[in-house]
Amino acid sequence: MSSVLVESTLSDDERRAKLYQGDLFVYAPKPATREFVEFSRALIRDAFGDLDPETAQYHMPVEDYAALLAELKPRFIHHPTCKELLPAILAEHGADPSKTYFDVPRLRTSTSDDYLTSGIAYAFHPHRDTWYSAPFCQLNWWMPIFDIVPENGLAFHPRYFSQPVRNGSRDYDYYEWNAKNRASAAKHIRSDTRKQPKPEEEVEIFPQTRVVAPSGGMLIFSAAQLHSSVPNNSGRTRFSMDFRTVHLDDVVNHVGAPNVDSECTGTTMRDYLRGTDLSRIDEETCLSYDTAPPREDAVLVFSHSTSA
């Protein structure tokens, strides 16, 4: 069972240990996150012009909407202000920027009523980020840009943190994905034909945990958490930001959450930038993450897989 810790005063070392065990951490808005929200809202509103970004989907052809996101999201990702604000967010949440490495932030959108759920606005099925070649020491930081409700946020399925799910991660290689699929996201409007790791058995999505934080509130969880996009029927598009971190000590010592079912290859380890000088993790260390660590319950997974 996972616990949700709100405004915890644990140290970063203690927090990471809890996160690797499946707990969730939630924090109220702070000065740096509020600044990031204002920066993000300005970019979003500039892109949508006179339209309210949260309801613009009702006034635009879906093809035009996808094209707008295809321009907005890369501009957000590569904006120099992001790299200036993220270290401040880490510091105000107790992380050491000299040992904490982050990747570029992603702007996420979840439109309402199945308006756009593929490609550039992919609606994620239940998944672990570790199925996508993330290291098991990766932590995900997720923050709403506009206020959300339970009907347009994230859902966690904590019973599966230690329970394997038969999935397609064995066919996923991060380097191949970047070379062949990442750039084509905006072309997938009506459906998404890109092969991605998905559950290969029925996942019981209830009971589930939905964390509803205000805009600028921060949710931190392990990359090994099974989570999904809530089917949005709120009538408003959800805008959120997320980025990922690894702590150098955990990277070097291969400390992290248990691997219960991931079999992907390649690694995202080269994507992270140090919070102080934006340097990257050394190549020798990155190479040690090219394959997922052995599954800790290999016998259980084999038995589970052959009984279906």
Side-chain angles (χ1 to χ4, degrees), residues 293-306:
R295 293 183 300 197
E296 298 191 6
D297 59 342
V299 174
L300 175 61
V301 172
F302 178 79
S303 174
H304 182 68
S305 298
T306 55

Side-chain angles (χ1 to χ4, degrees), residues 41 54 144-149 152 213-216 236-239:
R41 287 181 177 181
E54 294 183 272
I145 301 301
F146 300 96
D147 285 344
I148 62 171
V149 294
N152 67 0
S215 61
R236 303 186 75 83
T237 296
R238 182 251 291 164
F239 289 83

Side-chain angles (χ1 to χ4, degrees), residues 63-75:
E63 292 79 8
D64 293 348
Y65 195 95
L68 186 152
L69 294 183
E71 190 280 329
L72 170 61
K73 290 191 173 184
R75 183 153 57 95

Side-chain angles (χ1 to χ4, degrees), residues 179-200:
K180 297 181 179 180
N181 294 301
R182 184 180 293 278
S184 66
K187 299 177 182 178
H188 298 264
I189 297 175
R190 303 296 179 182
S191 62
D192 201 320
T193 59
R194 298 173 299 172
K195 187 175 182 180
Q196 303 190 48
K198 296 180 179 180
E200 295 179 342

Side-chain angles (χ1 to χ4, degrees), residues 126 131 157 160 165-166 199-206 226:
W131 292 352
H157 314 287
Y160 290 102
V165 175
R166 191 166 66 251
E200 295 179 342
E201 63 177 289
E202 184 177 356
V203 171
E204 296 180 8
I205 61 172
F206 296 101
L226 193 75

Side-chain angles (χ1 to χ4, degrees), residues 85-121:
L85 294 179
L86 289 189
I89 290 177
L90 294 175
E92 73 179 2
H93 286 84
D96 180 355
S98 70
K99 287 193 171 183
T100 305
Y101 289 66
F102 64 88
D103 69 353
V104 293
R106 270 75 171 183
L107 179 65
R108 309 290 187 181
T109 50
S110 173
T111 60
S112 188
D113 304 309
D114 296 323
Y115 170 76
L116 178 60
T117 59
S118 60
I120 198 73

